[in-house]
Amino acid sequence: VQLQASGGGVVQAGGSLRLSCAASGRSFSTYPMGWFRQAPGNEREFVAAIGKNGDGTYYTDSVKGRFTISRDNAKNTVYLQMNSLKPEDTAVYYCAAGRVVTVPASAYNYWGQGTLVTVSS
């Protein structure tokens, strides 16, 4: 499966953005999906994940209550709604498809190219 992330941009602290990740191929609905991010000088970190049918969502503690992951299997797309953004959310955000809903990036087989989110203070 090929993934294309979009929706990044520059936003002021407290603002919102919605990231999208469009997948090619007919097998999208068989993959749990995740969002990760990587800030300059930092390791890539888990942000959120969702089960194949949207049954089960998981978040890293720092985004709970602010970010929402969702998916539309009919459109082969997964979303990340980001509200109350903070400067520390600044990073390149990547979507990924894996075999199970899990945290480690190594468990995800397919990756999008990343979209940059910059939150100004």
Side-chain angles (χ1 to χ4, degrees):
V1 61
Q2 292 185 319
L3 304 173
Q4 180 79 30
S6 62
V10 180
V11 63
Q12 287 191 329
S16 299
L17 281 175
R18 188 176 81 155
L19 305 184
S20 299
C21 176
S24 63
R26 293 174 291 179
S27 58
F28 174 75
S29 62
T30 66
Y31 290 100
M33 297 295 296
W35 283 98
F36 291 76
R37 65 186 180 187
Q38 187 167 17
N42 289 359
E43 302 256 329
R44 190 170 298 189
E45 65 169 350
F46 171 82
V47 176
I50 188 167
K52 293 183 290 186
N53 300 312
D55 52 334
T57 56
Y58 305 88
Y59 301 91
T60 192
D61 286 346
S62 62
V63 308
K64 283 180 181 176
R66 300 189 299 122
F67 290 13
T68 303
I69 188 171
S70 62
R71 67 190 295 163
D72 185 339
N73 286 344
K75 295 182 178 180
N76 281 8
T77 303
V78 62
Y79 305 97
L80 186 68
Q81 177 67 44
M82 306 186 296
N83 299 329
S84 302
L85 282 161
K86 304 175 181 180
E88 51 263 44
D89 295 318
T90 295
V92 177
Y93 283 72
Y94 299 88
C95 57
R99 291 170 296 170
V100 295
V101 179
T102 188
V103 172
S106 58
Y108 290 78
N109 306 98
Y110 304 98
W111 292 83
Q113 86 290 358
T115 185
L116 177 62
V117 172
T118 302
V119 184
S120 61
S121 56

